[in-house]
Amino acid sequence: MGKQYYTITYGCQMNESDTERINGQLAELGYTEAPAMEAADIVILNTCSIRQNAEEKVYGKIGEIKRMKEKNPDLLVGIMGCMAQENKEKLIARMPIIDFVLGPYHIHDLKEVVTEALAGRRHVVRTRMNPERVKDYSELHAARKSHIFAWVPIMQGCNKFCTYCIVPYVRGRQTSRTVEDITGEVRQLAAEGYKEITLLGQNVNSYGLDFRDGTDFGALIRALDEVEGIERVRYMTSHPRDMTFAMVDAMAASPKVARHMHLPVQHGDNEMLRRMNRGYTIEHFMELLSYVRQKMPDIVVTTDLITGFPGETEEMHKATLRLLREAQFDSAYTFIYSPRQGTPAARMEDQIGDDVKHRRLQELMDVENEISLAKNRAMEGKVYPILVEGPTKQDESRWYGRTSGNKMIIFPKTEGVFVGDVRDALVEQGQTWVLKGRLV
Ligand code: SAH
Ligand code: SF4
Ligand code: F3S
């Protein structure tokens, strides 16, 4: 039996995408994917630092791997992703069972580092931020899981420095891939039969601004519109600050751009937004939102919220509850503020206690769940084209697909319907998180 790898991904879609390229490198070394961690010759954790609980999961997993390594000293263990960048040498000092630590800019080095580790060179740490590497992204073979959907990173890093966020420290400054490089990859994907791509960046709306030559996200959208074979273009995440009305026009003009926008607002109070360094006001956000909905009336808008940010009063919290009712998001990801070492908010004095944070989180979720349910119920009796994704995890006889707005519709498995087909689905029942229906 050949050698096998097992990679575990934590965190955002950018990490999901990086994992495919990590696995691609291992495949080039002759490894195949192990069915379970216990069967692997190399285990890689592609880690996330966004919140404390994300890091704790990784430390727990390393404990598990340590026991595996006691039984099998030849097992190779690598830590990659954002915790690798954040903790550098400290990881190995604390946990010497780790054989190598590679930051997000070092996927290119993986083959060399693994080859050397097999020859006995352990405890390698590479975390230099090298923006040049972003240009060579397409050189990295990606072992993609799906043959229909593909992640396409369009940029790396972030310049926004929201006061709570660790991303600018672990992913470095914003560096965009060129329009030619991205369209080249997408054309290739189309030729291979991919139907849907998701453009990835911390702030897709800042795409291209680092070139300082007029390139922006709107220009990329227009260029991708011309690639034949791709049915849908998704993108994540949008930042309210750099999203211009012209960009919204470019999205609205493109029939391929999915009618879903993930637009994190984070909070409903202007003083909180200022302390978070978000760079917009609620008034601006609402104006943008109404323009987006005016241009694309069928658009599904989702958001992120942070509760319990330092200094958040009961009044400020109520402002977020009010915002939810006003903005009518289709869904909201709500997070309890987690202090990240080295960020300005972690040093702010008026930190909020855990009990209050949990109560506020629950209140936000209660309000939003009601709205999500009402929105999904309003879809009952209507027909939506969906891109068929295949059987649900729980039940082989029930399949699902997604609308352009990224809503999941579950339907009974139907003769002659295949993964990747675009079919019309009638919504029969809207629930908080999913819709149930049948193909028509
Ligand atoms: N670039 C995206 C967000 C990426 S992080 C944007 O600016 O919108 C994804 C989400 O994690 C953020 O939207 C925020 O809601 C949450 N988040 C980031 N740092 C956090 C922290 N320290 N504590 C709690 N939630 C956090
Ligand atoms: Fe973090 Fe803000 Fe950058 Fe988003 S925009 S990644 S929240 S610093
Ligand atoms: Fe986490 Fe890094 Fe993404 S911190 S959310 S994996 S960019």
Side-chain angles (χ1 to χ4, degrees):
M1 257 275 260
K3 286 194 183 288
Q4 296 188 313
Y5 69 79
Y6 196 73
T7 313
I8 306 178
T9 314
Y10 302 84
C12 63
Q13 288 84 357
M14 191 64 95
N15 260 14
E16 299 278 349
S17 165
D18 284 351
T19 291
E20 293 182 335
R21 296 189 197 241
I22 288 169
N23 292 347
Q25 305 315 290
L26 296 170
E28 283 180 355
L29 286 180
Y31 283 83
T32 55
E33 189 168 15
M37 187 165 83
E38 290 63 35
D41 302 282
I42 181 169
V43 175
I44 292 184
L45 303 187
N46 192 15
T47 61
C48 171
S49 316
I50 201 84
R51 284 171 289 274
Q52 189 62 33
N53 56 8
E55 298 206 345
E56 270 153 21
K57 277 189 220 154
V58 171
Y59 288 122
K61 192 54 85 176
I62 297 174
E64 231 177 276
I65 296 168
K66 186 170 172 227
R67 289 188 288 280
M68 272 172 65
K69 195 150 177 170
E70 277 157 11
K71 287 190 219 136
N72 171 16
D74 290 334
L75 175 70
L76 287 184
V77 182
I79 305 296
M80 297 181 73
C82 295
M83 281 173 75
Q85 190 65 40
E86 183 194 4
N87 296 288
K88 303 185 172 76
E89 287 79 8
K90 275 189 271 172
L91 283 173
I92 290 175
R94 263 181 73 178
M95 292 160 294
I97 62 133
I98 297 169
D99 296 301
F100 59 88
V101 171
L102 296 178
Y105 287 88
H106 292 271
I107 300 173
H108 290 74
D109 296 357
L110 185 60
K111 286 194 280 185
E112 178 195 326
V113 169
V114 170
T115 307
E116 288 185 6
L118 288 171
R121 182 157 178 249
R122 304 289 170 95
H123 291 179
V124 172
V125 178
R126 293 194 191 169
T127 52
R128 193 169 73 85
M129 301 246 196
N130 181 0
E132 286 295 304
R133 285 285 170 81
V134 179
K135 289 188 203 146
D136 305 332
Y137 230 75
S138 43
E139 282 173 13
L140 293 172
H141 165 62
R144 291 189 156 96
K145 287 225 161 68
S146 161
H147 298 286
I148 310 289
F149 306 94
W151 306 116
V152 178
I154 61 171
M155 61 213 288
Q156 173 75 278
C158 178
N159 295 350
K160 291 282 185 282
F161 288 95
C162 301
T163 52
Y164 50 81
C165 185
I166 198 157
V167 170
Y169 305 89
V170 291
R171 290 273 172 170
R173 290 300 68 71
Q174 172 175 326
T175 311
S176 302
R177 294 173 65 187
T178 61
V179 172
E180 296 72 47
D181 188 22
I182 297 166
T183 42
E185 182 172 347
V186 173
R187 239 180 254 119
Q188 177 66 33
L189 288 166
E192 290 169 22
Y194 285 85
K195 298 281 180 251
E196 179 177 301
I197 56 159
T198 303
L199 308 175
L200 295 177
Q202 286 303 335
N203 299 296
V204 293
N205 305 103
S206 330
Y207 168 79
L209 302 184
D210 44 310
F211 296 139
R212 294 170 204 284
D213 63 355
T215 305
D216 72 357
F217 190 59
L220 178 64
I221 291 287
R222 281 188 294 273
L224 289 175
D225 212 26
E226 273 153 36
V227 179
E228 273 179 45
I230 297 292
E231 306 258 356
R232 271 186 197 160
V233 177
R234 297 189 184 282
Y235 54 92
M236 270 299 160
T237 296
S238 298
H239 192 298
R241 182 155 124 197
D242 291 323
M243 171 119 83
T244 62
F245 285 25
M247 240 172 241
V248 177
D249 294 343
M251 292 171 189
S254 165
K256 284 184 190 166
V257 170
R259 294 309 187 230
H260 172 220
M261 185 179 289
H262 185 59
L263 190 64
V265 61
Q266 311 298 359
H267 210 279
D269 179 81
N270 281 336
E271 173 59 12
M272 281 284 102
L273 291 177
R274 193 189 62 75
R275 289 177 60 141
M276 288 177 171
N277 191 32
R278 288 293 288 180
Y280 53 83
T281 60
I282 288 300
E283 291 73 24
H284 172 76
F285 182 86
M286 291 307 291
E287 197 188 332
L288 186 61
L289 185 61
S290 92
Y291 189 72
V292 166
R293 285 183 171 146
Q294 181 198 323
K295 286 283 161 172
M296 295 174 273
D298 51 346
I299 196 157
V300 168
V301 184
T302 55
T303 200
D304 290 345
L305 297 168
I306 295 179
T307 189
F309 186 81
E312 184 189 61
T313 63
E314 213 48 40
E315 270 316 302
M316 291 166 167
H317 166 62
K318 286 198 178 120
T320 307
L321 292 170
R322 266 199 309 277
L323 170 79
L324 283 180
R325 292 198 184 92
E326 247 175 73
Q328 293 284 309
F329 299 110
D330 285 86
S331 66
Y333 298 87
T334 40
F335 303 108
I336 287 184
Y337 168 67
S338 169
R340 310 316 296 135
Q341 217 185 3
T343 61
R347 296 188 293 274
M348 291 179 186
E349 272 163 18
D350 28 15
Q351 301 286 330
I352 307 292
D354 278 349
D355 289 356
V356 174
K357 283 180 179 169
H358 281 101
R359 194 237 321 140
R360 288 179 182 168
L361 176 76
Q362 194 56 51
E363 288 175 4
L364 292 172
M365 293 197 321
D366 288 348
V367 169
E368 183 50 41
N369 286 349
E370 219 177 274
I371 296 168
S372 301
L373 179 61
K375 288 246 167 190
N376 287 348
R377 284 219 174 124
M379 291 170 71
E380 290 174 1
K382 294 185 189 145
V383 173
Y384 297 85
I386 58 170
L387 189 54
V388 175
E389 297 199 18
T392 56
K393 274 201 193 103
Q394 297 78 17
D395 182 354
E396 285 277 314
S397 74
R398 302 202 318 153
W399 279 39
Y400 72 101
R402 277 172 210 276
T403 66
S404 173
N406 208 32
K407 299 248 183 174
M408 191 197 263
I409 301 182
I410 298 177
F411 58 91
K413 183 177 175 179
T414 311
E415 254 335 283
V417 174
F418 301 98
V419 176
D421 286 355
V422 177
R423 293 295 175 117
D424 281 338
L426 169 71
V427 176
E428 293 173 318
Q429 191 195 11
Q431 301 179 346
T432 309
W433 301 107
V434 294
L435 301 138
K436 293 191 175 151
R438 63 185 158 85
L439 300 187
V440 289

